[in-house]
Amino acid sequence: MQNISGKTALITGAGRGIGRATALALAAEGVNIGLVGRSIENLKKVQEELKSYDVKTAIAAADVSDMEAITSAVESIRGELGAIDILLNNAGISKFGSFMELTPEEWTNILNVNVNGVYYTTRAVLPEMVERKTGDIINISSTAGQKGGPVTSAYSASKAAVIGLSESLMMEVRKHNIRVTTLTPSTVATDMAVELNLTDGNPEKVMQAEDLAELIVAQLKLNPRVVLKNAGLWSNNP
Ligand SMILES: NC(=O)C1=CN([C@@H]2O[C@H](COP(=O)(O)OP(=O)(O)OC[C@H]3O[C@@H](n4cnc5c(N)ncnc54)[C@H](O)[C@@H]3O)[C@@H](O)[C@H]2O)C=CC1
Ligand SMILES: CC(=O)C(C)=O
């Protein structure tokens, strides 16, 4: 097990849900946190919550599907906090609907955010990790990326692409001492899942964002000689 205190993490989609919960869990371990997301108001709220921990924080608003915007957000976070040790590619969107119901614009937008967002953000962070011969990249896919459903064509295609990207990158960069992990959670009780009518969020029955954050902290503490290649966390009492 390694101590992660003093490391620096960059989290996309950090203004709410899984991103916010992971920011709080990592800060509790002494990790400095760079928060990236679309809504500066939400990022400021999370930054305020992080004040109760003895860590440095920085925020930068950017749409991960805009390569220039996310590249300059990464630069800005790096300028304030220093080298990034941990990247959590978490930002994502979803819309469910039948194949013909979803418009080409919705399809393209889901693919742009969920796939290109991971690609652009990782491109901005990876070279420094390779140079430093250290780093953790965690990509949030979904059970929907492992198995299609009748209304999930765009979302499942995007999350399957994340699995392909992530597993390939893991094979490529482990020789540089960089760990890439693919997480495939089932429904997590966040605004996204409630908006999709997947859950009422009942904490007795449905996985909470804090549960996934706990797994992320635990995997980061694993001895650097091993990497959690992929993991599925499921609700146990649905
Ligand atoms: N909630 C669930 O049941 C599950 C969620 N996931 C994935 O986990 C990740 C986080 O999801 P939740 O926390 O549930 O969602 P959420 O909707 O509650 O939070 C997502 C965050 O990402 C941000 N975001 C969205 N598009 C963005 C963009 N283009 N650029 C920058 N930030 C952007 C949003 O503003 C929001 O703060 C997503 O990738 C999602 O697909 C995976 C499995 C299950
Ligand atoms: C939204 C999502 O990815 C699931 C699996 O519920």
Side-chain angles (χ1 to χ4, degrees), residues 5 25 43 57 59 62 66 76 135 137 139 151 179 196 200 212 232 238:
S5 175
L43 296 178
T57 62
I59 59 175
D66 176 338
S76 154
I137 299 173
N139 297 318
V151 289
R179 306 190 292 191
L196 289 169
D200 60 4
L212 192 59

Side-chain angles (χ1 to χ4, degrees), residues 94-167:
S94 59
K95 172 133 197 228
F96 290 177
S98 72
F99 195 85
M100 293 306 290
E101 260 166 23
L102 285 184
T103 65
E105 291 73 27
E106 287 168 333
W107 169 276
T108 303
N109 194 29
I110 290 169
L111 271 290
N112 273 344
V113 173
N114 294 2
V115 186
N116 290 344
V118 173
Y119 170 69
Y120 296 146
T121 311
T122 305
R123 272 190 76 94
V125 171
L126 185 65
E128 188 186 48
M129 287 185 171
V130 172
E131 202 177 304
R132 296 174 66 227
K133 293 261 177 245
T134 183
D136 277 278
I137 299 173
I138 299 160
N139 297 318
I140 311 282
S141 175
S142 164
T143 48
Q146 297 173 305
K147 195 173 187 309
V151 289
T152 65
S153 53
Y155 186 67
S156 285
S158 74
K159 291 300 185 180
V162 170
I163 294 173
L165 176 163
S166 189
E167 292 189 349

